[in-house]
């Protein structure tokens, strides 16, 4: 972290021209191990915070000005003022997450009356299914909590982040990403019931295995609108089911109950969407059980089943993710592989025996590059916990 801090400090003084009373913060990204597209359906998810993330250096000001600079964006210094934040700009700038977070926290009662100068820098690939936006929301939320309102809890930060995503950015995402990041624990994944926000932090005893992230490096196009479309399909299926069974969400149905009632869903595509949500929820609970019983091989098989359901029933994988996953599964030492996050490009993960990881990466790279025309990237995952002052 010292190198990151030096780098941030150097850039800060170059950009803003002064040395100040600096504070440094870090927020991680996340991978979801299983339980995909279940969070906005009242189901379970099983994500974990990872070592890649975004760091920031901040100095508070005496006036109401806010200046933001990202070492990963080419927007230069973006200036705002606390007095005129009320007008949402919808510029699709990374700074929308900063102002969104300030506004939500102000609405919720935090007094944020002094501005600040900020520089951020990340090693989390952006827009790739590792939750770079939730990472940024939580980074800003955590920084604001420490600087202005220490009574705010990490769980609240997660909920505020989701509001920013839904109300300021326009993506109808569930709570998984912000929760996984804000509440992340070292070497644990969170088995979260998204209907109640009750959760259990489950130790990841990897006994010689590791999760490898495989990035398609595909530019994500239309991912947000397709995401919102899937969510709407599930909501419509739920409405149809509610005409014959008393439920609040798809997550309340077991696969058996779904099979008994699903005749009421008139459209076959919508039926498959709902089927995925119900079966994936059941699969997630089972996956956590087998993991706790140290049956990693069964966990791997459930990862495979999850991917197939996302591929054929939910239809959010695409040729890039399928190629990565299929190639990984051909390799020795691999117990399972699946896409992670929203899909439509982004990343997949493979559960692989440690000593086979590099061989697998070579094989996947070869197959993928031949078929897709450009290279994927790989990251070996470490689970390091949630946001912190560094
Ligand atoms: C994105 C969303 C999450 C979740 C996943 C799919 O990451 O932000 O809320 O819906 O997709 O599981």
């Amino acid at each position: 972290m010292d190198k990151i801090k030096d780098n941030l400090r150097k850039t800060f003084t170059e950009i803003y021209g002064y040395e100040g009373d600096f504070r440094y913060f870090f927020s991680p990204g996340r991978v979801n191990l299983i339980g995909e597209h279940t969070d906005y359906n009242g189901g379970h998810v099983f994500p974990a915070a990872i070592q890649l993330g975004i760091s920031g250096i901040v100095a508070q000001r005496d006036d109401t000005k806010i200046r933001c600079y990202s070492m990963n964006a080419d927007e230069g210094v973006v200036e705002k003022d606390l007095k005129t934040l009320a007008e949402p700009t919808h510029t699709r700038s990374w700074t929308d997450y900063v102002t969104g977070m300030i506004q939500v926290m102000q609405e919720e009662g935090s007094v944020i009356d002094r501005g600040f100068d900020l520089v951020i820098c990340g090693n989390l690939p952006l827009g790739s299914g590792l939750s770079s936006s939730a990472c940024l929301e939580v980074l800003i939320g955590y920084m604001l909590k420490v600087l202005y309102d220490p009574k705010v809890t990490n769980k609240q930060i997660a909920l505020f982040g989701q509001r920013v995503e839904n109300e300021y950015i326009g993506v109808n995402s569930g709570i998984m990403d912000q929760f996984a990041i804000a509440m992340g624990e070292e070497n644990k994944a969170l088995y979260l019931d998204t209907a109640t926000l009750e959760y259990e932090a489950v130790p990841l005893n990897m006994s010689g295995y590791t999760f490898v992230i495989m990035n398609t490096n595909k530019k994500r196009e239309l991912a947000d609108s397709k995401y919102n479309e899937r969510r709407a399909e599930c909501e419509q299926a739920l409405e149809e089911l509610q005409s014959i069974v008393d439920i609040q969400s798809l997550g309340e149905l077991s696969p058996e109950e779904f099979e008994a009632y699903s005749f009421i869903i008139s459209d076959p595509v919508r039926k498959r969407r709902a089927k995925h949500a119900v079966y994936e929820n059941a699969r997630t609970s089972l996956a956590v059980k087998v993991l706790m019983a140290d049956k990693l091989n069964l966990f791997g098989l459930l990862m495979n089943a999850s991917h197939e359901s996302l591929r054929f029933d939910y239809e959010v994988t695409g040729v890039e993710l399928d190629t990565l996953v299929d190639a990984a599964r051909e390799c020795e030492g691999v117990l399972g592989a699946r896409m992670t996050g929203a899909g439509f490009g982004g990343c997949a993960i493979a559960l692989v025996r440690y000593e086979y990881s590099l061989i697998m990466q070579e094989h996947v790279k070869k197959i993928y590059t031949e078929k897709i025309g450009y290279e994927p990237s790989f990251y070996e995952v470490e689970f390091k916990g949630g946001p912190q002052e560094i």
Side-chain angles (χ1 to χ4, degrees):
M1 286 291 180
D2 281 350
K3 222 171 135 204
I4 293 176
K5 283 167 80 171
D6 283 349
N7 227 342
L8 284 167
R9 186 188 194 113
K10 223 176 117 225
T11 307
F12 189 105
T13 46
E14 263 168 38
I15 296 286
Y16 298 124
Y18 73 96
E19 290 266 346
D21 193 3
F22 295 140
R23 308 281 291 261
Y24 301 85
F25 296 90
F26 170 79
S27 174
R30 67 100 189 88
V31 290
N32 187 23
L33 302 181
I34 195 162
E36 217 65 82
H37 290 280
T38 47
D39 65 346
Y40 51 83
N41 285 308
H44 291 81
V45 292
F46 194 45
I50 59 176
Q51 85 276 18
L52 306 171
I54 305 176
S55 306
I57 177 172
V58 65
Q60 279 177 291
R61 301 172 57 95
D62 293 326
D63 57 12
T64 53
K65 218 189 261 180
I66 294 171
R67 294 190 293 180
C68 303
Y69 180 81
S70 165
M71 292 166 69
N72 306 103
D74 46 16
E75 293 180 33
V77 176
V78 180
E79 260 195 56
K80 318 225 174 193
D81 198 296
L82 282 173
K83 289 191 220 125
T84 51
L85 284 188
E87 307 121 39
T89 52
H90 294 294
T91 51
R92 289 242 147 209
S93 157
W94 70 272
T95 57
D96 293 346
Y97 294 93
V98 181
T99 44
M101 213 58 197
I102 295 175
Q103 281 169 281
V104 167
M105 287 180 68
Q106 283 177 330
E107 272 168 46
E108 296 292 330
S110 296
V111 179
I112 301 168
D113 47 3
R114 286 170 64 192
F116 52 81
D117 290 333
L118 172 72
V119 174
I120 64 162
C121 172
N123 59 2
L124 187 66
L126 303 179
S128 63
L130 305 177
S131 290
S132 48
S133 44
C135 170
L136 184 54
E137 286 149 14
V138 172
L139 177 77
I140 302 302
Y142 192 79
M143 175 189 98
L144 295 173
K145 158 205 164 87
V146 172
L147 297 182
Y148 299 91
D149 195 357
K151 68 176 187 309
V152 169
T153 64
N154 281 22
K155 193 166 168 179
Q156 283 176 309
I157 292 174
L159 290 163
F160 298 161
Q162 187 195 14
R163 267 186 61 192
V164 170
E165 200 71 54
N166 297 168
E167 294 169 22
Y168 287 80
I169 309 299
V171 182
N172 271 331
S173 62
I175 186 63
M176 170 170 75
D177 303 345
Q178 292 82 1
F179 200 96
I181 291 171
M183 306 296 284
E185 292 186 31
E186 194 168 352
N187 291 327
K188 288 183 178 157
L190 305 184
Y191 177 48
L192 170 68
D193 180 345
T194 60
T196 60
L197 293 192
E198 273 166 33
Y199 74 99
E200 191 180 343
V202 179
L204 295 169
N205 298 325
M206 301 300 297
S207 40
Y209 284 82
T210 179
F211 286 102
V212 174
I213 296 174
M214 309 182 285
N215 190 346
T216 59
N217 288 328
K218 182 192 177 189
K219 216 168 150 271
R220 287 171 92 193
E221 280 151 359
L222 296 177
D224 293 354
S225 60
K226 285 193 195 145
Y227 181 93
N228 289 346
E229 184 184 295
R230 290 293 177 284
R231 185 167 181 157
E233 286 167 334
C234 287
E235 277 162 9
Q236 216 178 329
L238 173 65
E239 257 176 51
E240 289 174 283
L241 286 162
Q242 281 170 329
S243 68
I244 52 167
V245 55
D246 182 20
I247 50 168
Q248 301 302 312
S249 71
L250 294 177
E252 286 174 38
L253 291 179
S254 66
E256 295 72 25
E257 286 164 336
F258 178 77
E259 295 304 336
Y261 299 125
S262 63
F263 68 89
I264 199 75
I265 305 173
S266 55
D267 175 58
V269 172
R270 206 152 56 229
K271 196 182 287 190
R272 282 192 278 118
R273 306 293 192 246
K275 180 180 173 204
H276 165 77
V278 170
Y279 278 72
E280 178 78 353
N281 186 34
R283 219 170 359 246
T284 304
S285 304
L286 188 59
V288 172
K289 272 199 198 111
V290 301
L291 184 76
M292 284 167 129
D294 284 331
K295 295 195 162 63
L296 272 184
N297 55 332
L298 295 184
F299 190 88
L301 291 177
L302 290 164
M303 287 173 68
N304 291 344
S306 165
H307 186 86
E308 296 315 297
S309 177
L310 289 155
R311 180 179 192 162
F312 296 111
D313 285 338
Y314 219 64
E315 294 181 284
V316 293
T317 58
V319 61
E320 296 85 0
L321 284 167
D322 291 339
T323 303
L324 287 179
V325 162
D326 288 345
R329 283 185 200 156
E330 289 164 9
C331 298
E332 198 172 348
V334 172
L335 295 182
R338 60 181 293 277
M339 56 157 270
T340 186
F344 315 108
C347 289
I349 49 171
L351 177 56
V352 55
R353 229 193 133 70
Y354 197 74
E355 59 268 33
Y356 289 106
S357 168
L358 287 179
I359 304 172
M360 180 204 79
Q361 292 176 33
E362 275 309 307
H363 176 75
V364 173
K365 182 172 157 187
K366 184 169 168 285
I367 303 274
Y368 185 85
T369 312
E370 271 168 23
K371 184 154 179 189
I372 307 296
Y374 51 85
E375 289 184 5
S377 318
F378 300 91
Y379 320 86
E380 287 191 11
V381 180
E382 291 166 53
F383 300 106
K384 293 283 196 188
Q388 47 171 304
E389 183 161 9
I390 52 176

